[in-house]
């Protein structure tokens, strides 16, 4: 069997044509394709603003800045996420802390969040922003997090890097009903891709304007934002310290072409996941648990090994799958155990026990639209052989 990655982009002839057409056009950057992609996102999410950027990491950074995260602030997220969900706060000079995960959904635990907020209030160490991550594409309990935000006065950035195409309470993820800003990633392993790329959505005029400035040097050509009348037609003003986080036209054209297939891509992910659910039901593994309110974007299919029912260790199962050319992965190493976080913030092993237990058992199986039935059968049969240790 050829190598099977855990995730892979789905590229059609239409996608290729869309990119090539941009290359033959007048604009490789700052042309019509980025607004077109943003409009497609707005329409899909039913949200007021969508701002495309060169990555979700960039979008998380400017989202934090737009919410005025600074050096005296604390930002909370989950330890089971990609490091970017936490790093964005550090870029702003803020401190990061974590909320342990729910042992069933692997998303940030509402009970742990509530308890941590109660304790933080007493110590006057409440977070300015909480960043829930929709792990694997399954929405967090956003209504509960929103209610807590009203009680304790924090802002919310949804890291929906795994979740475009999914919904919560029958509304598309990204509509920001229960958050200030939502972030999507379009890295090739994610649900749809722009090679590199990300988007921030919001319903707030003020946040959209701030993120728009920050993604392009803090420069404006809008006379209403300027301190005085333009000197001439060449004129622009830098009114904030921004970055070059812009998405290119080639990326946006790919995004426009990809998002047309979002529904069918999400459906095929569900079909594959459903087959895994059925085929793995009798194996000593825990298959993904889904809350009723969420329809997952299904970026990832994570199983947990029932280690007390099998002979091989987690590492042995993982190594055997890799040796069989199955590109399993582990999402994620708890962020608080990363050397950088241990060195700078004094986090210890044992701080977030549910996250650490998850890390000892989790394996992400391959999941992407072009995964064939034969490949999937091979993955399941190989896993079964390893778990039965024969
Ligand atoms: C992929 C990912 C990011 C970063 O996305 P990029 O577009 O690669 O910058 C952030 N958060 C989560 C949860 C991710 O999975």
């Amino acid at each position: 069997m050829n190598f099977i990655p855990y995730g892979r982009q789905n590229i059609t002839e239409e996608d290729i044509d869309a990119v090539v057409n941009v290359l033959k056009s007048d604009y490789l950057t700052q042309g019509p394709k980025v607004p077109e992609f943003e409009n497609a996102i707005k329409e899909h999410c039913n949200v007021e603003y969508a701002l495309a950027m060169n990555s979700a990491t960039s979008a998380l950074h400017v989202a934090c800045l737009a919410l005025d995260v600074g050096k005296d602030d604390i930002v909370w997220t989950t330890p089971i996420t990609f490091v970017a969900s936490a790093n964005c706060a550090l870029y702003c000079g803020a401190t990061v802390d974590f909320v342990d995960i729910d042992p069933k959904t692997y998303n940030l635990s509402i009970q742990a969040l509530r308890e941590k907020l109660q304790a933080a209030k007493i110590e006057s160490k409440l977070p300015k922003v909480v960043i829930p991550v929709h792990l694997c594409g399954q929405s967090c309990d956003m209504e509960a997090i929103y209610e807590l935000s009203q009680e304790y006065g924090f802002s919310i950035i949804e890291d929906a890097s795994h979740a475009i195409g999914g919904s919560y309470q029958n509304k598309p993820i990204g509509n920001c009903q229960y958050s200030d800003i939502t972030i999507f990633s379009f890295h090739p392993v994610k649900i749809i891709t722009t090679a590199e790329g990300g988007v921030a959505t919001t319903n707030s005029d003020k946040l959209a304007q701030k993120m728009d400035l920050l993604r392009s040097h803090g420069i404006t050509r809008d006379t209403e934002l300027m301190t005085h009348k333009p000197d001439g037609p060449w004129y622009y003003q830098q009114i904030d310290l921004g970055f070059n986080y812009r998405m290119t036209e080639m990326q946006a054209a790919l995004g426009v072409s990809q998002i047309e297939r979002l529904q069918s891509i999400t459906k095929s992910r569900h079909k594959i996941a459903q087959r895994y659910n059925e085929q793995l039901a009798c194996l000593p593994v825990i298959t993904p648990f889904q809350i009723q309110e969420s329809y997952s974007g299904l970026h990832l299919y994570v199983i947990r090994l029932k280690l007390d029912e099998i002979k091989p260790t987690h590492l042995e199962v993982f190594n055997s799958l890799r040796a069989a050319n199955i590109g399993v992965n582990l999402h994620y190493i708890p962020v608080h155990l990363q050397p950088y976080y241990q060195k700078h913030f004094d986090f210890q092993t044992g701080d977030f026990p549910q996250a650490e237990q998850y890390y000892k058992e989790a394996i992400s199986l391959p999941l992407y639209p072009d995964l064939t039935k034969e490949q999937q059968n091979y993955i399941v049969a190989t896993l079964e052989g390893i778990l039965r240790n024969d």
Side-chain angles (χ1 to χ4, degrees):
M1 187 62 77
N2 289 330
F3 181 74
I4 306 170
Y6 83 85
R8 192 180 196 285
Q9 66 275 15
N10 169 263
I11 300 292
T12 62
E13 285 304 317
E14 286 77 20
D15 292 341
I16 293 166
D17 290 345
V19 174
V20 170
N21 285 341
V22 169
L23 287 169
K24 293 176 181 166
S25 78
D26 290 336
Y27 296 100
L28 303 187
T29 187
Q30 292 173 289
K33 283 292 164 189
V34 166
E36 197 180 323
F37 183 45
E38 291 173 337
N39 283 333
I41 300 270
K42 280 195 283 187
E43 206 162 293
H44 168 75
C45 294
N46 193 16
V47 70
E48 290 291 323
Y49 298 97
L51 293 115
M53 284 174 245
N54 58 3
S55 71
T57 303
S58 302
L60 283 162
H61 182 195
V62 300
C64 284
L65 290 173
L67 290 166
D68 285 327
V69 171
K71 80 171 182 21
D72 297 324
D73 296 319
I74 309 170
V75 171
W76 291 2
T77 186
T78 163
I80 299 300
T81 186
F82 185 55
V83 290
S85 317
N87 289 345
C88 56
L90 304 186
Y91 298 156
C92 307
T95 304
V96 168
D97 202 352
F98 300 95
V99 179
D100 207 356
I101 61 165
D102 178 297
K104 271 178 110 166
T105 63
Y106 320 143
N107 278 332
L108 173 154
S109 154
I110 302 301
Q111 192 192 330
L113 176 62
R114 188 176 290 119
E115 286 165 10
K116 199 175 173 96
L117 286 166
Q118 283 162 355
K121 189 173 179 185
I122 294 163
E123 294 178 56
S124 296
K125 282 166 80 176
L126 283 170
K128 180 153 198 167
V129 175
V130 173
I131 307 181
V133 178
H134 305 316
L135 193 75
C136 305
Q138 167 162 239
S139 179
C140 295
D141 184 350
M142 289 311 301
E143 191 173 359
I145 297 170
Y146 177 76
E147 278 167 13
L148 289 168
S149 78
Q150 298 303 100
E151 189 178 343
Y152 289 94
F154 57 85
S155 301
I156 300 171
I157 300 171
E158 291 174 71
D159 184 342
S161 292
H162 299 183
I164 197 163
S167 60
Y168 173 69
Q169 294 180 344
N170 292 317
K171 290 183 192 139
I173 290 178
N175 78 344
C176 297
Q177 183 181 0
Y178 296 116
S179 64
D180 297 279
I181 298 168
T182 301
I183 306 296
F184 295 119
S185 170
F186 305 114
H187 182 279
V189 296
K190 307 284 163 74
I191 294 165
I192 56 170
T193 190
T194 60
E196 296 281 1
V199 156
T201 63
T202 185
N203 289 312
S204 155
D205 303 346
K206 187 175 139 265
L207 292 175
Q209 193 181 83
K210 188 99 197 264
M211 290 192 286
D212 187 28
L213 268 178
L214 291 173
R215 72 173 164 174
S216 194
H217 309 282
I219 280 171
T220 186
R221 291 177 190 278
D222 180 349
T223 50
E224 285 190 15
L225 299 177
M226 290 183 188
T227 53
H228 57 262
K229 260 180 51 188
D231 299 344
W234 64 85
Y235 196 65
Y236 57 81
Q237 278 192 352
Q238 185 190 341
I239 57 173
D240 205 335
L241 183 62
F243 310 88
N244 182 351
Y245 282 170
R246 293 186 305 255
M247 177 179 274
T248 68
E249 291 285 289
M250 289 80 79
Q251 291 170 306
L254 181 55
V256 169
S257 184
Q258 290 255 315
I259 202 171
E260 284 176 19
R261 298 199 302 285
L262 179 57
Q263 216 187 353
S264 71
I265 286 173
T266 312
K267 268 195 189 149
S268 68
R269 287 178 171 278
H270 273 262
K271 225 161 127 186
I272 294 165
Q274 189 54 38
R275 280 193 92 226
Y276 273 139
N277 288 343
E278 287 157 15
Q279 291 183 306
L280 299 174
C282 52
L283 296 189
V285 300
I286 301 168
T287 54
F289 170 83
Q290 301 288 316
I291 61 166
Q292 277 233 310
E293 296 84 354
S294 167
Y295 175 76
S296 179
L298 266 172
H299 163 49
L300 297 172
Y301 190 92
V302 171
I303 57 167
R304 283 176 79 159
L305 304 179
K306 294 182 179 168
L307 289 171
D308 49 357
E309 294 179 25
I310 61 173
K311 269 192 251 160
T313 64
H314 179 241
L315 179 63
E316 283 165 353
V317 173
F318 198 97
N319 281 339
S320 302
L321 287 164
R322 281 274 178 99
N325 258 349
I326 300 168
V328 286
N329 218 316
L330 209 174
H331 300 92
Y332 290 93
I333 304 159
V335 180
H336 70 285
L337 299 182
Q338 292 289 357
Y340 184 88
Y341 280 81
Q342 297 228 314
K343 183 170 155 207
H344 290 271
F345 301 100
D346 199 33
F347 289 112
Q348 310 286 333
T349 303
D351 282 349
F352 304 100
Q354 293 295 346
E356 291 168 31
Q357 191 58 37
Y358 165 91
Y359 177 56
K360 290 178 181 152
E361 301 168 359
I363 296 179
S364 305
L365 298 183
L367 174 62
Y368 51 93
D370 295 322
L371 187 73
T372 65
K373 270 191 186 163
E374 290 67 36
Q375 287 174 317
Q376 202 179 5
N377 292 343
Y378 170 74
I379 292 163
V380 173
T382 306
L383 178 64
E384 182 167 9
I386 295 163
L387 295 179
R388 299 204 192 286
N389 206 13
D390 54 27

